[in-house]
Amino acid sequence: SQKIEQNSEALNIQEGKTATLTCNYTNYSPAYLQWYRQDPGRGPVFLLLIRENEKEKRKERLKVTFDTTLKQSLFHITASQPADSATYLCALGRYGGSQGNLIFGKGTKLSVKP
Amino acid sequence: ETGVTQSPTHLIKTRGQQVTLRCSSQSGHNTVSWYQQALGQGPQFIFQYYREEENGRGNFPPRFSGLQFPNYSSELNVNALELDDSALYLCASSLGTGRLVGGDTQYFGPGTRLTVL
């Protein structure tokens, strides 16, 4: 069955550094990949989407890469701030199913220390 | 805020009972998806409704059922509650076509925390 792994449950970094989160998957061929941010007790908030034919996407301090050969996505937050502390989820989806049928990883909890 | 609201915020039930959770979509959205998120896990897809019809279902038993109303609000019903049903239930709305487009942005509500004792 399909499996998604996010590199670690928790990542601690210093303010100003670049945070890099990893999402690996097996037994799946996604058409696109999404990254979400989730704060405690809240629903996930959509951040970025990248499609299988795209290598990289950027949005302000965020950058996502997608390597379908390695079956991996990297999510970068540059110049990290304490306000970036949250759990980040990756989610895979593909055409041929209902739009809501995303497969989520467990998430990585990022803590940015001042 | 996404404009998606859910009620109630928290709910405590006992095993064997039935529960109904509600979701109001963001204005203009015609598609609602429901997810179950257990503690420390990512959300798991339950089902999706597009224009009042079920448009896809995840690996959940039939005791999980839903409805979507003409105003695109939605309900999730769970019968014969089990202890493992304790989780955060999320709904997400989007503007979809019901066809194989995929990748549309979904807007999640804050969730309903269900505890089954």
Side-chain angles (χ1 to χ4, degrees), chain A residues 16 67 93:
Chain A
D67 189 326

Side-chain angles (χ1 to χ4, degrees), chain A residues 11 26 78 80 90 105 111:
Chain A
L11 181 64
T26 56
T78 58
S80 59
C90 72
S111 295

Side-chain angles (χ1 to χ4, degrees), chain A residues 32 34 36 38 41-44 46 49 51 89 95-102 104-106, chain B residues 1 33 35 37 41-43 45 48 55-56 90 96-98 101 103-106 108-110:
Chain A
Y32 56 89
Q34 299 181 346
Y36 288 81
Q38 187 172 25
R42 309 289 291 271
F46 172 80
L49 177 149
R51 299 189 190 276
L89 301 161
Y95 309 124
S98 58
Q99 295 169 36
N101 193 0
L102 294 172
F104 281 86
K106 291 184 180 181
Chain B
E1 298 300 323
S33 304
Y35 292 82
Q37 186 175 24
Q41 303 294 315
F45 176 69
Q48 181 185 76
N55 189 39
L90 297 160
T97 64
V101 176
D104 292 339
T105 301
Q106 294 193 67
F108 282 84

Side-chain angles (χ1 to χ4, degrees), chain B residues 15-36:
Chain B
R15 200 168 46 180
Q17 284 189 310
Q18 178 266 341
V19 69
T20 297
L21 310 182
R22 295 179 175 82
C23 172
S24 272
S25 305
Q26 186 171 23
S27 177
H29 285 181
N30 56 14
T31 304
V32 172
S33 304
W34 284 92
Y35 292 82
Q36 179 196 68

